[in-house]
Amino acid sequence: MSEQKPEQGTVQGTVQETGQEGRTPVVRRVDPRHRYEILVDDRRAGLTAYRDRDDRRVFFHTEIDDAYAGQGLASTLVEQALTDVRASGMRIVPVCPYVAKFLKKHGEFADITDPVTPEIVQWLDAQLGR
């Protein structure tokens, strides 16, 4: 994944501090790209991708650029994305293994989490052209 300036579009975000001087990650929802991005110093450091199905946000992929590994950015990204899902009145379907693992450790999202079913996986595959 190359470092890029953030996409412009419908964006919502929050800010979280890290322990590194001058590096404040910002999480943004980029609706036209169906993803949340985490930016460090105005550069995209990672993303978590989703597709919406009715009132469910189906997360299917999360990645952090190698240059930003080990800084806790994936956790910050996913936590802020899931918080946004809650605020939107939607539910979570964790097809992405990282999101599923995060949810096992963070029970505060259990009330808005739906199971991954074969039907959801088939629908997602059709959405992604797989």
Side-chain angles (χ1 to χ4, degrees):
M1 181 172 88
S2 63
E3 293 183 42
Q4 299 174 2
K5 289 288 185 180
E7 298 285 336
Q8 297 298 315
T10 304
V11 177
Q12 307 260 336
T14 57
V15 177
Q16 293 287 320
E17 294 288 334
T18 66
Q20 295 188 354
E21 189 82 23
R23 293 170 65 99
T24 303
V26 176
V27 175
R28 298 183 183 191
R29 187 180 74 223
V30 184
D31 290 331
R33 304 288 309 253
H34 305 283
R35 66 189 187 195
Y36 293 83
E37 297 178 343
I38 189 162
L39 308 168
V40 177
D41 297 332
D42 294 325
R43 298 207 177 266
R44 192 178 74 216
L47 63 93
T48 188
Y50 66 85
R51 291 293 186 274
D52 288 339
R53 182 171 193 206
D54 302 320
D55 68 338
R56 292 174 285 177
R57 184 149 288 166
V58 181
F59 288 90
F60 64 90
H61 179 73
T62 302
E63 66 182 58
I64 298 294
D65 190 283
D66 289 343
Y68 298 95
Q71 299 177 30
L73 295 178
S75 179
T76 298
L77 170 61
V78 169
E79 181 177 18
Q80 293 303 316
L82 300 182
T83 298
D84 182 66
V85 171
R86 180 185 295 284
S88 299
M90 297 182 76
R91 300 188 59 78
I92 300 159
V93 181
V95 174
C96 169
Y98 184 86
V99 174
K101 180 180 170 185
F102 180 92
L103 288 166
K104 286 181 182 177
K105 295 180 180 180
H106 296 271
E108 65 268 27
F109 295 104
D111 62 315
I112 61 166
T113 301
D114 289 340
V116 176
T117 63
E119 187 263 335
I120 285 287
V121 173
Q122 183 179 20
W123 170 84
L124 182 62
D125 286 346
Q127 291 292 303
L128 300 175
R130 303 195 257 193

